[in-house]
Amino acid sequence: MYTQSFSVPDGSEDAKSVGLKAVPKALSAQDAALQSAFDARIDADGRIEPREWMPEAYRKTLVRQISQHAHSEIVGMLPEANWISRAPSLKRKAILIAKVQDEAGHGLYLYSAAETLGTSRDQMLDGLHTGKAKYSSIFNYPTLNWADVGVVGWLVDGAAIMNQVPLCRCSYGPYARAMVRVCKEESFHQRQGYEALLVMMQGTAEQKAMVQDAVNRWWWKCLAMFGPPDADSPNSAQGMRWGIKRISNDDLRQKFVDATVPQAKVLGVTLPDPDLKWNEARGQHDYGQIDWDEFWATVNGNGPCNKERLGARVKAWNDGAWVREAALAHAKKQQVRQLKEAA
Ligand code: BYC
């Protein structure tokens, strides 16, 4: 089962029963002072940096979210990499290779950001490989044809940007800074996907039908990507209180729908939702019901590609063992040489 949340020992049972402020029960006078300095920094919208004091529950939440995010980036390489060898032209192949490489880079920035919280990369990857850690539901669906690659760029990366731009203002410095670069690259990814689809929509009837079919298959999965409705989101209130999350799951989902509708019109595709319509009074679009049972089944390991995705990551890790061993042996040799020279 690929279900359990990533659990990092925090040395404190109290952290499990936190309220809106994660204050362990018996705080020493020194800890109480540190906690109030931390709260004041958060209230003033300041940044927390790695060597500064932070409540264990804040650290644990960040490790959970950032490591899940990192896993999503590297698992997210798989559905698109599947099309590198079959891209329809050299230009599309070069763009796709660059995009997939960017996702690997995003994974690296994010693992590095999480490491500053005192967790090791091996520990995080073990969480992924043993199925304890989550990664985004969206990457458990197959990319069936070339139009899927365009739609993943347009809608999946579009949803990712909507979710990630507010993370550039996250209260934890290393995560916020990593997100600035990630968002710049994601916005290139989104535009390349949209442009590839615009070209297909000027092609044959068959090409147009491929695009519409891909939009039909991905639309609802992208809406679910933002996470459960606010009322069913156990982590939201605390995440927002700490300035980790800035905009709620439902508000981001609404912004995504409102931004995407006009783009779909320009593209000439229909979004597969009979209930999707402009609500004059709200100044936003109404939309239909998301299938949350399907979302949770996928998050809990039973989506169409969960086993394939995890299998590919475990195989890559095992196949790369010799590279890690060689790098360590080389580093050791260099260290011995430097010590000899210094002596
Ligand atoms: N899939 O209380 P909630 C990308 C989990 S990368 C799976 O609302 P939170 C891209 C959630 O983890 C996309 N699980 O949680 C990459 C929690 O479980 P745990 C990834 C999900 O943390 C390559 C439980 O449901 N983006 O786009 O406040 C190529 C309850 O949820 C999902 C990020 O990771 C999901 N969709 O909010 C192209 C961004 N949604 O951990 C594109 C950073 C929820 O308690 N992360 N869950 O066991 C976030 O912004 C937040 O963590 C989330 C969830 C909005 C995802």
Side-chain angles (χ1 to χ4, degrees):
M1 291 290 283
Y2 314 133
T3 57
Q4 307 307 313
S5 59
F6 187 40
S7 168
V8 176
D10 61 10
S12 158
E13 278 302 304
D14 297 333
K16 290 189 182 128
S17 54
V18 290
L20 273 189
K21 284 191 183 175
V23 188
K25 267 175 205 150
L27 280 184
S28 67
Q30 194 195 10
D31 279 353
L34 290 166
Q35 175 77 49
S36 52
F38 171 87
D39 289 341
R41 180 90 59 86
I42 295 287
D43 289 343
D45 217 8
R47 286 265 165 91
I48 307 296
E49 296 298 337
R51 288 172 202 277
E52 293 172 336
W53 186 90
M54 61 187 81
E56 279 312 306
Y58 176 81
R59 184 187 301 276
K60 191 175 172 183
T61 291
L62 282 167
V63 170
R64 176 185 66 80
Q65 178 165 329
I66 303 173
S67 66
Q68 286 178 0
H69 194 166
H71 299 329
S72 303
E73 298 285 352
I74 60 164
V75 175
M77 295 166 71
L78 299 168
E80 292 184 280
N82 190 30
W83 281 90
I84 290 175
S85 61
R86 291 173 289 169
S89 69
L90 184 59
K91 175 181 144 187
R92 296 289 172 201
K93 190 197 275 278
I95 294 172
L96 190 55
I97 289 172
K99 179 185 189 302
V100 172
Q101 267 179 350
D102 283 353
E103 308 299 0
H106 298 173
L108 292 181
Y109 315 149
L110 289 164
Y111 284 125
S112 301
E115 280 177 315
T116 65
L117 291 155
T119 182
S120 74
R121 196 170 301 197
D122 281 354
Q123 218 180 341
M124 289 184 268
L125 286 171
D126 187 62
L128 175 66
H129 298 156
T130 56
K132 283 192 205 131
K134 288 189 171 76
Y135 59 85
S136 182
S137 52
I138 197 75
F139 301 119
N140 291 307
Y141 297 98
T143 40
L144 299 181
N145 61 49
W146 178 253
D148 288 46
V149 174
V151 169
V152 166
W154 174 38
L155 295 180
V156 175
D157 291 290
I161 297 169
M162 196 57 88
N163 164 275
Q164 291 171 13
V165 166
L167 292 174
C168 299
R169 294 187 291 115
C170 165
S171 59
Y172 188 58
Y175 191 25
R177 290 188 286 275
M179 292 319 297
V180 172
R181 181 156 172 189
V182 169
C183 286
K184 282 186 186 156
E185 292 175 355
E186 290 297 357
S187 103
F188 155 72
H189 296 169
Q190 195 263 358
R191 275 176 282 166
Q192 69 78 35
Y194 193 64
E195 191 268 343
L197 296 177
L198 279 171
V199 171
M200 284 185 84
M201 290 302 286
Q202 282 151 26
T204 62
E206 209 178 349
Q207 285 174 306
K208 290 179 194 171
M210 277 169 72
V211 175
Q212 183 62 60
D213 168 61
V215 170
N216 293 348
R217 283 182 288 106
W218 286 93
W219 174 248
W220 289 104
K221 301 355 180 194
C222 289
L223 293 194
M225 235 179 114
F226 291 93
D230 294 349
D232 305 323
S233 163
N235 302 307
S236 273
Q238 183 67 81
M240 292 187 73
R241 170 67 190 89
W242 274 328
I244 297 171
K245 273 174 110 154
R246 295 288 178 164
I247 305 181
S248 80
N249 297 359
D250 283 334
D251 288 349
L252 285 171
R253 193 166 9 248
Q254 181 70 57
K255 279 159 82 75
F256 176 71
V257 171
D258 292 336
T260 308
V261 167
Q263 294 171 7
K265 204 178 243 175
V266 171
L267 195 55
V269 294
T270 308
L271 297 172
D273 178 0
D275 296 325
L276 182 65
K277 55 176 182 305
W278 179 251
N279 181 324
E280 195 62 52
R282 287 202 306 124
Q284 290 172 326
H285 291 86
D286 291 335
Y287 57 91
Q289 277 297 317
I290 295 168
D291 185 346
W292 291 112
D293 290 342
E294 196 223 310
F295 168 78
W296 287 116
T298 303
V299 171
N300 289 335
N302 299 312
C305 300
N306 294 56
K307 289 177 183 62
E308 184 186 330
R309 299 291 184 242
L310 209 56
R313 286 311 319 163
V314 170
K315 181 174 184 310
W317 176 255
N318 292 338
D319 290 351
W322 70 272
V323 180
R324 294 190 297 278
E325 281 160 22
L328 279 175
H330 179 68
K332 218 177 219 173
K333 250 190 207 167
Q334 270 193 326
Q335 202 182 18
V336 170
R337 194 174 301 152
Q338 275 166 3
L339 283 175
K340 261 189 198 157
E341 280 169 10

